Amino acid sequence: MPDSPASTDPRPAHPAERPVYVIGAGPGGLAAAQALRARGIRAVVLERADHVGDSWRRHYDRLRLHTTRRLSALPGLPMPRRFGRWVARDDVIRYLEKYAEHHQLEIVTGVEVFRVEPAPDGTGWLLHASGGRELTGAAVVVATGHNHTPRVPRWPGRDAYTGELRHAAEYRNASPYAGRDVLVVGAGNTGAEIAVDLVEGGAARVRLSVRTAPHIVRRSTAGWPAQHNGVLARRLPARLVDRLARPLARISTPDLSAHGLPRPDTGLLTRASEGAIPVQDVGLIDAVRRGRVEVVAAVAGFEDGKVLLADGTRLAPDAVIAATGYLRGLEPLVGHLDVLDARGRPVTRGPHAPHHAPGLYFTGFTNPISGMLRELAIDAVRIARAVEKRHANHVSRLPG
């Protein structure tokens, strides 16, 4: 969408004329903007890329949502039935584009926000953005995304390694790896799915380096999606969910201990609360049982052009793909406001602004087992309510 001069006017606005600025035009940002607009509050979305849903456009080709279509829709617009139950990446992108158009959201693309700080007059927030822009908003919703900055561990010898080493963020499909020996590092959903994609795409050998064995669940059992269990689990004590999940796992998934993937000692919801959500099976179980994906120990470092594993094994793969997660990348933006924890995550989420930073909201920085898109939709409505309640006299209202 084109840049709007009115949205980026550097002149300070009267408090009652200030919009709410939403940083990021992914699902979380769009949902928040729609929820605000639905309450008559002007929301301006600032997006550093040239289009909405930029991070989704950079995901690998085979990606499908692990959450159902119905529980992945954002407020005010269902996902089309033709997308099927498990929505493909390209359809998610189409949906986000349609969502922005359908709700007539005010989006300014090509604008990157570098720093957020309290407004000089003590009301609202001042945003420093590209092009020398200084924007003053009544409130700010930070929705820059869970997968912001690719993270590759500082393994010993990594900088001297001359072999092919890429983060999973650069992976699109298996074509460049056909006939090659590939080591995938990381047994989260991304690593597991890339490993399966490589096998199906003709890689000669695929090994999966695992530091901590994940919980593996069927995406759907007898037509019942795992997401529904996740939604129910959010309402129950972690200890109870952990206890209930064990017999369910024994019934629904085979024991892969003989193949290097033992059942985890830590409970499912306990692990999820620590950030390690279960791996949804999209072919990994079968690939491991058949020996098409070989499970190996964690990577300890690089030495003499080889990959050194924690058990002392040395490997010489043709390529290494690090599915080792992402950093939130929030430190330059809000790190000076004392609103992040030791791991760089916001100390609050949804409608709860930090007590010393009223009007500053965060959405999309957790990865709940009940489904990220579902939680983004819920957070959006709650944030809009909080903004309306707290900033009733200081936000710009839409005409009519």
Side-chain angles (χ1 to χ4, degrees):
M1 294 185 181
D3 197 338
S4 168
S7 302
T8 57
D9 191 339
R11 294 174 299 174
H14 185 276
E17 299 173 351
R18 292 172 181 169
V20 175
Y21 282 109
V22 180
I23 307 175
L30 298 181
Q34 186 278 336
L36 288 162
R37 182 178 176 83
R39 283 163 176 73
I41 299 171
R42 185 185 175 208
V44 178
V45 182
L46 304 176
E47 169 56 49
R48 65 177 181 175
D50 295 329
H51 34 241
V52 302
D54 182 61
S55 65
W56 284 90
R57 299 170 193 272
R58 292 182 276 113
H59 284 311
Y60 46 91
D61 295 347
R62 73 171 282 150
L63 178 68
R64 285 183 176 272
L65 294 180
H66 291 158
T67 54
T68 66
R69 181 189 74 252
R70 289 185 178 181
L71 293 184
S72 299
L74 302 180
L77 185 68
M79 285 190 172
R81 192 180 186 88
R82 68 178 183 276
F83 285 179
R85 193 178 205 188
W86 312 107
V87 183
R89 178 202 63 184
D90 289 350
D91 285 332
V92 173
I93 296 169
R94 293 186 186 96
Y95 173 74
L96 296 178
E97 292 173 338
K98 179 65 176 178
Y99 191 85
E101 177 186 357
H102 176 79
H103 290 297
Q104 299 180 320
L105 302 182
E106 188 174 351
I107 302 173
V108 186
T109 60
V111 174
E112 182 173 4
V113 180
F114 301 119
R115 184 179 173 91
V116 176
E117 59 187 31
D121 64 3
T123 62
W125 295 91
L126 177 65
L127 287 68
H128 298 273
S130 55
R133 298 175 176 86
E134 291 188 351
L135 312 171
T136 308
V140 173
V141 181
V142 181
T144 49
H146 189 268
N147 297 344
H148 186 273
T149 305
R151 171 188 172 274
V152 178
R154 299 297 303 179
W155 288 304
R158 191 194 79 178
D159 294 340
Y161 182 65
T162 57
E164 182 178 337
L165 170 61
R166 299 180 182 276
H167 189 272
E170 300 177 73
Y171 181 88
R172 294 295 172 269
N173 55 61
S175 297
Y177 304 96
R180 303 177 71 192
D181 180 343
V182 187
L183 174 67
V184 180
V185 184
N189 277 290
T190 297
E193 195 154 347
I194 287 176
V196 173
D197 195 45
L198 288 165
V199 166
E200 295 177 353
R205 186 177 189 180
V206 179
R207 284 174 283 200
L208 181 62
S209 172
V210 178
R211 179 168 57 90
T212 304
H215 285 275
I216 303 176
V217 300
R218 302 287 189 184
R219 186 164 63 178
S220 179
T221 302
W224 179 264
Q227 183 187 10
H228 289 180
N229 292 335
V231 172
L232 294 173
R234 297 270 284 178
R235 302 174 181 273
L236 298 173
R239 187 174 299 178
L240 176 60
V241 174
D242 290 347
R243 190 181 311 130
L244 294 173
R246 291 189 186 99
L248 180 61
R250 286 194 292 269
I251 295 170
S252 61
T253 58
D255 185 358
L256 300 175
S257 298
H259 302 279
L261 275 181
R263 296 193 190 278
D265 295 328
T266 311
L268 185 147
L269 190 56
T270 297
R271 285 281 298 278
S273 65
E274 296 169 353
I277 64 170
V279 170
Q280 302 250 357
D281 178 45
V282 291
L284 180 67
I285 291 175
D286 184 63
V288 169
R289 292 177 76 179
R290 294 181 177 214
R292 302 180 72 191
V293 170
E294 305 168 47
V295 178
V296 298
V299 170
F302 295 84
E303 193 174 274
D304 298 328
K306 295 184 178 181
V307 182
L308 178 63
L309 303 183
D311 62 3
T313 303
R314 294 171 183 269
L315 305 179
D318 298 320
V320 179
I321 299 173
T324 47
Y326 294 79
L327 301 173
R328 308 295 84 82
L330 290 170
E331 286 80 3
L333 186 69
V334 296
H336 54 288
L337 298 174
D338 192 28
V339 295
L340 305 178
D341 65 16
R343 295 172 60 183
R345 302 171 303 181
V347 295
T348 60
R349 58 162 283 193
H352 307 291
H355 70 277
H356 58 283
L360 181 63
Y361 305 95
F362 296 89
T363 183
F365 296 99
T366 60
N367 197 7
I369 62 174
S370 51
M372 180 177 284
L373 292 177
R374 176 183 181 273
E375 296 300 325
L376 287 175
I378 294 171
D379 275 354
V381 175
R382 291 174 175 171
I383 289 171
R385 289 174 182 164
V387 170
E388 185 176 45
K389 181 178 180 180
R390 184 178 183 89
H391 305 272
N393 299 320
H394 299 287
V395 294
S396 175
R397 294 283 175 171
L398 295 170

